[in-house]
Amino acid sequence: MHFNIKGLLERNGFFLDANQPQIYVNLYTAFRKAILNRSLENGTKLPPSRVLATDLGISRSTVLKAIDLLLVENYITSKRGSGYYVRATEDKKIRLNISALDHKGGHPKLSKQGIAFSENNLWAGQDSIKEVAFRPGLPPLDIFPVQIWKKLIDDYWKRITPSELSYSDTKGLNCLRENISQYLKVYRNINCSPDRIIVTTGSLHSLFLVSSILLEKNDNIVVENPMYPMAHSLFKNLGAVIQPAPVDDEGINLKGINCTNPKFVYTTPSCQYPTGVKMSMSRRFQLLNWATVNETYIIEDDYNHEFSNWEKPLGSLFGMDLQERVVYLGTFNKLIHPSLRLGYIILPEQLIGPVSGLYQQSSRFVPRQDQKAMSAFIQKDYLNKHLRKVIDTAQHRKEYFVEQFNAILGDWFQLETSCLGLHLIAHIKKKQSDLYIEQKLMDQNIRVHALSRYYILPNDANGLVMGFCSVNQKQIKETIRKIGEIMGQL
């Protein structure tokens, strides 16, 4: 430890006084107080005596005298060749004269929006779960080419220039936006200038940026029902009046939706979440026409397009839009891995300035090294190769998951296998609540989502949304067997 602890010692009573001949006693007392009040925690390594003497402006011999006293009193311990460490003080009574305020002052109240974000925190415990089976939305994490990515990161740092250590363009690096533009032409029939692309940390970040610059309190929006719960919470926390539209076998159905000046329609057309329905071409034209008549935007969350459009490709709503009404959200987090935190948003011309302004005044930009690595990952064809491997792996794991699930859990669940995404829906045959089963499985480090959480209006949905490809076949089998044991005990 080479921290400068002069300030810490001064706060605990250390001072330099020409009239005080025994400075080492004063230094010892300050150290003792800092150790007793836990300013210096048990096990903390003290700075070397030479460093400490230089920082405090005193002789090294003075420092060593204070250290000797601390050693004698067992406040610190010495490790040969390593230095001095703070010793446990549980057996020492703390006798500090600290005056307390007679009256503790209050604090300003949270805003209504602050309270909303605090209270509507979905699945607060999910990130503490060690296992990833069977969390929806995860790709095959174990096949990601870690060594290739590491090489791309290393190459970036080998070629780094001082100017690249400064601030970066909020919109993202030109090289990455150009490669994303080329990538989307091939996979999504999207022709757009790189200038309309903004690099974000993912779909939810993109959705927050767009929603924040469009929504006033009590503005109407139209959403799918069921829908992505995190998006629903975001809209609710921002004060929107949410108009749910049912989802049928062709996608979102806007018949019967009659609201005044809706700000936008939020939809997942390539693979509706969570039902897995792909929006039909006729329904897409209806949606675009509805948006024109109602003078509103469409937010197209294409979170899953690589998986849902591999066998039977269907272009995006953005590619069909001739009036600049569609905002397109894309992400690499579902294809590569969530810890990457890389997504992108394609905006109509009139929204680029406001979204860029909000982004610049909040999270600023995605780290340059990740953007550079992703750009090279696309340009050197690693992404295409990985995509093919991911699709193949996901298909094999889906088949194995379905086989094992039906064999072991068929008495409790009816598995719906038509979903085009990275998850399947298991409808519960018994009377147990999906929320109850979700919690019981989470208690055993198994992550699933209760289907009823996805619905806005009162419903009779009772099932589990389960990811199937984040773990290998051995883990799939073991986890399904574990679920069977848990279900047998309920």
Side-chain angles (χ1 to χ4, degrees):
M1 171 178 160
H2 282 68
F3 293 123
N4 187 338
I5 62 173
K6 180 179 179 180
L8 182 148
L9 292 172
E10 288 179 346
R11 290 193 297 273
N12 284 278
F14 177 70
F15 57 90
L16 290 176
D17 189 342
N19 297 321
Q20 171 57 268
Q22 294 183 320
I23 297 176
Y24 75 94
V25 175
N26 182 245
L27 179 58
Y28 156 78
T29 304
F31 263 120
R32 176 180 176 275
K33 183 176 179 182
I35 292 170
L36 290 174
N37 65 24
R38 306 298 194 271
S39 295
L40 288 172
E41 295 282 356
N42 177 38
T44 300
K45 184 178 180 181
L46 299 185
S49 57
R50 285 189 177 86
V51 173
L52 190 56
T54 300
D55 290 343
L56 298 178
I58 59 180
S59 69
R60 187 183 176 217
S61 62
T62 300
V63 171
L64 290 174
K65 286 182 180 180
I67 287 175
D68 286 342
L69 284 177
L70 293 169
L71 286 169
V72 169
E73 294 291 334
N74 286 325
Y75 287 104
I76 63 174
T77 184
S78 175
K79 295 184 181 179
R80 183 182 294 273
S82 179
Y84 301 102
Y85 293 82
V86 173
R87 191 183 181 92
T89 58
E90 287 79 0
D91 58 335
K92 298 179 183 295
K93 295 181 179 180
I94 301 176
R95 296 178 180 178
L96 301 175
N97 185 18
I98 302 176
S99 60
L101 294 175
D102 293 333
H103 174 71
K104 184 177 181 180
H107 301 89
K109 293 182 179 179
L110 289 174
S111 67
K112 291 182 179 179
Q113 192 175 102
I115 293 172
F117 275 105
S118 176
E119 293 180 348
N120 295 312
N121 185 16
L122 287 174
W123 302 320
Q126 66 178 343
D127 292 327
S128 64
I129 294 180
K130 297 178 181 179
E131 303 297 332
V132 294
F134 292 117
R135 181 169 175 171
L138 290 178
L141 301 176
D142 54 324
I143 68 169
F144 177 69
V146 174
Q147 293 304 315
I148 290 176
W149 189 264
K150 180 179 181 298
K151 183 180 182 302
L152 296 176
I153 293 291
D154 290 343
D155 288 345
Y156 167 75
W157 286 109
K158 287 177 184 177
R159 294 171 172 80
I160 193 76
T161 62
S163 62
E164 290 178 301
L165 298 176
S166 183
Y167 292 94
S168 189
D169 187 349
T170 294
K171 291 183 179 180
L173 300 181
N174 288 333
C175 61
L176 176 56
R177 290 188 287 147
E178 289 170 359
N179 281 317
I180 290 174
S181 178
Q182 291 296 320
Y183 173 79
L184 291 173
K185 285 180 183 178
V186 175
Y187 284 100
R188 300 301 290 128
N189 191 32
I190 290 176
N191 287 286
C192 73
S193 166
D195 292 336
R196 293 180 64 177
I197 297 174
I198 293 179
V199 178
T200 67
T201 63
S203 297
L204 195 61
H205 180 207
S206 299
L207 191 59
F208 174 79
L209 292 171
V210 176
S211 302
S212 296
I213 60 104
L214 287 177
L215 290 177
E216 302 280 4
K217 187 177 181 181
N218 295 325
D219 277 345
N220 285 305
I221 63 170
V222 179
V223 302
E224 299 168 332
N225 185 37
M227 69 174 295
Y228 179 36
M230 295 287 279
H232 178 239
S233 291
L234 172 62
F235 300 147
K236 185 165 64 173
N237 295 340
L238 291 175
V241 176
I242 298 171
Q243 306 289 343
V247 173
D248 57 27
D249 58 2
E250 290 191 78
I252 187 172
N253 190 338
L254 296 175
K255 289 182 179 179
I257 297 297
N258 184 20
C259 59
T260 305
N261 300 321
K263 281 295 181 71
F264 56 78
V265 179
Y266 173 72
T267 181
T268 52
S270 66
C271 182
Q272 201 281 328
Y273 192 68
T275 65
V277 171
K278 180 182 287 192
M279 188 182 294
S280 68
M281 188 59 70
S282 61
R283 189 62 59 81
R284 291 171 187 239
F285 280 115
Q286 291 173 19
L287 176 56
L288 288 167
N289 183 64
W290 192 91
T292 299
V293 171
N294 287 274
E295 298 182 342
T296 189
Y297 288 107
I298 298 171
I299 298 181
E300 178 182 12
D301 189 345
D302 214 7
Y303 72 98
N304 197 59
H305 70 254
E306 288 90 354
F307 300 96
S308 54
N309 282 277
W310 189 256
E311 293 293 337
K312 297 179 180 179
L314 195 61
S316 64
L317 279 171
F318 186 93
M320 300 167 61
D321 177 28
L322 300 177
Q323 296 193 3
E324 297 216 350
R325 295 196 179 279
V326 178
V327 175
Y328 182 91
L329 313 184
T331 181
F332 293 113
N333 299 328
K334 293 288 189 294
L335 173 59
I336 297 179
H337 55 84
S339 68
L340 176 64
R341 306 319 308 153
L342 261 179
Y344 51 92
I345 180 171
I346 311 177
L347 293 164
E349 191 69 36
Q350 63 272 20
L351 296 184
I352 294 175
V355 169
S356 298
L358 173 59
Y359 194 1
Q360 189 174 37
Q361 295 174 61
S362 53
S363 48
R364 300 296 291 270
F365 54 85
V366 172
R368 184 189 292 263
Q369 69 167 19
D370 297 332
Q371 294 190 61
K372 276 281 192 178
M374 190 70 235
S375 180
F377 198 70
I378 298 173
Q379 189 171 354
K380 295 177 184 287
D381 205 40
Y382 294 131
L383 181 59
N384 287 323
K385 293 176 182 178
H386 181 60
L387 175 55
R388 289 181 179 277
K389 189 174 182 181
V390 166
I391 296 294
D392 185 61
T393 301
Q395 182 59 36
H396 282 93
R397 290 183 179 179
K398 179 178 181 179
E399 293 171 359
Y400 187 77
F401 180 94
V402 171
E403 174 190 321
Q404 293 295 315
F405 189 95
N406 287 335
I408 298 174
L409 299 174
D411 290 341
W412 289 288
F413 301 94
Q414 177 65 46
L415 192 62
E416 187 178 326
T417 61
S418 60
C419 181
L420 296 172
L422 294 173
H423 66 272
L424 298 171
I425 296 176
H427 298 282
I428 301 171
K429 294 180 179 179
K430 309 293 183 179
K431 292 184 179 181
Q432 290 103 333
S433 158
D434 57 2
L435 294 171
Y436 175 72
I437 295 177
E438 175 194 64
Q439 184 60 53
K440 287 297 181 182
L441 295 182
M442 190 165 72
D443 291 343
Q444 299 298 319
N445 279 324
I446 300 173
R447 189 56 180 142
V448 298
H449 291 172
L451 179 62
S452 59
R453 290 185 182 275
Y454 292 79
Y455 285 82
I456 300 171
L457 300 175
N459 65 90
D460 57 0
N462 195 36
L464 303 179
V465 181
M466 310 177 73
F468 56 80
C469 72
S470 61
V471 293
N472 60 34
Q473 290 187 356
K474 179 182 177 182
Q475 291 170 295
I476 288 174
K477 186 174 183 178
E478 290 176 352
T479 307
I480 288 177
R481 284 183 174 176
K482 189 174 181 181
I483 293 175
E485 294 173 2
I486 296 169
M487 293 303 298
Q489 296 169 3
L490 295 183

